Amino acid sequence: MDYESWAENQETSTVSVDEHDLEVAYYDDGDGEPVLFCHGIPTSSFLWRDVVPSLADEYRVIAPDMVGYGNSAMYDGFDRSIRAQEEMVDGLVDELGLETVSFVGHDLGGGVALRYAAHRPDAVETLVLSNAVCYDSWPIETIVTLGLPSTINEMSVDDARELLEGMFRETRYDDPDGAFVEGMLAPWDSDEAIVSLSRNAIGTNTSHTTEIDPSEIAARTLLLWGVEDEFQPIEYAERLEDDISGATLVGVDEASHWVMADRPDAYTDHLREFLDGA
């Protein structure tokens, strides 16, 4: 699926985050038990294009664009931290009338999932974390630099997209297909979007994961991790496995940070097996 087709299948809802009414775009398909997917920085829900549609035969799959990302609200003037994204998810779950969800989170979305599962244990039956930010594993230097006003003020839209394209191409395990790169770049196509990217980057706050005690997570937990990741090394998954009671760690070989894009079939198979066992 290309980005245009993905965007055409998105719906929108208005969610209150810190008293800001923000538009949230999300992919929603299927009629089974709900599974919510949350992406990270600097991506969008399109990251899940090879995983989410293939699960819709058995589950209701919901993949929002975090606020400040994708086709969700991008204007300047609201919080985009994972604490705020947790509030967005809570509002969207409420808007959709869901009592419980299985939560799949990647990168920053994994940090959101950790917080949500810790703070709302009755709402999360199953938790899947993939190359997720946790403890003090983040932010990485590239993202910190992007968040500096002095950096972004000197960048044109083309400059920023060139930087992002290099990141996506260089950090995939294999050469990425054109649809992946084009889809990852598609939302970052305006001055407003580039400012939003910078605000997203400056909102990366280590305290929002160090304040969470993973040992308090009650959900069945799968750590589905690309083993070649340099951003969020698998040692952090091993630490989570030690701290979360009963957690299962599955390392996906020949996969880097973008594990669901590097090895979509293996990723989906492991995820479906875990969800089916809930």
Side-chain angles (χ1 to χ4, degrees):
M1 184 183 301
D2 60 20
Y3 184 81
E4 183 176 348
S5 298
W6 180 270
E8 287 175 353
N9 282 283
Q10 285 184 306
E11 302 180 39
T12 59
S13 184
T14 300
V15 173
S16 179
V17 179
D18 279 347
E19 300 183 355
H20 293 274
D21 291 333
L22 303 176
E23 188 172 88
V24 176
Y26 60 97
Y27 184 99
D28 188 352
D29 192 19
D31 298 315
E33 293 298 315
V35 184
L36 189 142
F37 293 78
C38 196
H39 66 89
I41 187 172
T43 64
S44 70
S45 60
F46 184 70
L47 181 69
W48 304 104
R49 63 169 181 144
D50 292 325
V51 176
V52 165
S54 63
L55 293 172
D57 62 332
E58 189 175 355
Y59 297 95
R60 180 180 179 183
V61 288
I62 303 158
D65 289 332
M66 294 194 296
V67 290
Y69 297 76
N71 291 309
S72 291
M74 275 197 180
Y75 67 85
D76 208 6
F78 59 87
D79 185 9
R80 297 106 186 288
S81 68
I82 64 171
R83 186 205 56 78
Q85 306 296 350
E86 175 192 7
E87 189 173 345
M88 177 277 290
V89 167
D90 193 41
L92 182 61
V93 167
D94 185 60
E95 284 287 318
L96 297 178
L98 306 177
E99 293 185 3
T100 60
V101 298
S102 292
F103 202 140
V104 184
H106 174 258
D107 190 79
L108 263 67
V112 176
L114 271 171
R115 290 181 61 89
Y116 193 76
H119 294 150
R120 297 163 183 80
D122 294 338
V124 182
E125 294 184 339
T126 303
L127 177 65
V128 181
L129 303 175
S130 293
N131 300 74
V133 301
C134 52
Y135 306 108
D136 59 352
S137 72
W138 65 303
I140 65 171
E141 184 176 355
T142 301
I143 297 301
V144 172
T145 302
L146 266 177
L148 300 175
S150 58
T151 299
I152 212 69
N153 289 342
E154 297 175 358
M155 271 191 181
S156 66
V157 172
D158 288 343
D159 290 337
R161 285 168 62 90
E162 182 179 354
L163 184 151
L164 292 175
E165 180 174 359
M167 177 188 298
F168 291 127
R169 290 192 182 279
E170 293 166 10
T171 57
R172 284 287 301 272
Y173 184 82
D174 296 319
D175 291 335
D177 62 277
F180 172 82
V181 175
E182 291 168 10
M184 292 296 98
L185 294 177
W188 313 115
D189 62 351
S190 67
D191 289 331
E192 179 185 59
I194 299 308
V195 171
S196 187
L197 174 63
S198 180
R199 302 296 187 255
N200 298 340
I202 204 66
T204 51
N205 187 335
T206 312
S207 297
H208 290 165
T209 48
T210 55
E211 70 180 359
I212 297 300
D213 182 357
S215 68
E216 296 178 355
I217 300 293
R220 288 180 64 249
T221 302
L222 172 65
L223 308 165
L224 188 51
W225 221 268
V227 300
E228 304 295 336
D229 191 359
E230 295 182 3
F231 295 149
Q232 301 299 322
I234 198 166
E235 287 77 14
Y236 284 102
E238 293 168 348
R239 184 174 170 186
L240 286 168
E241 183 184 27
D242 288 339
D243 287 347
I244 300 176
S245 177
T248 300
L249 170 58
V250 174
V252 181
D253 292 327
E254 298 183 342
S256 68
H257 187 66
W258 317 107
V259 53
M260 69 293 294
D262 285 333
R263 295 292 175 264
D265 291 342
Y267 186 92
T268 304
D269 288 346
H270 285 303
L271 178 57
R272 185 186 290 273
E273 181 180 3
F274 190 74
L275 293 174
D276 287 351

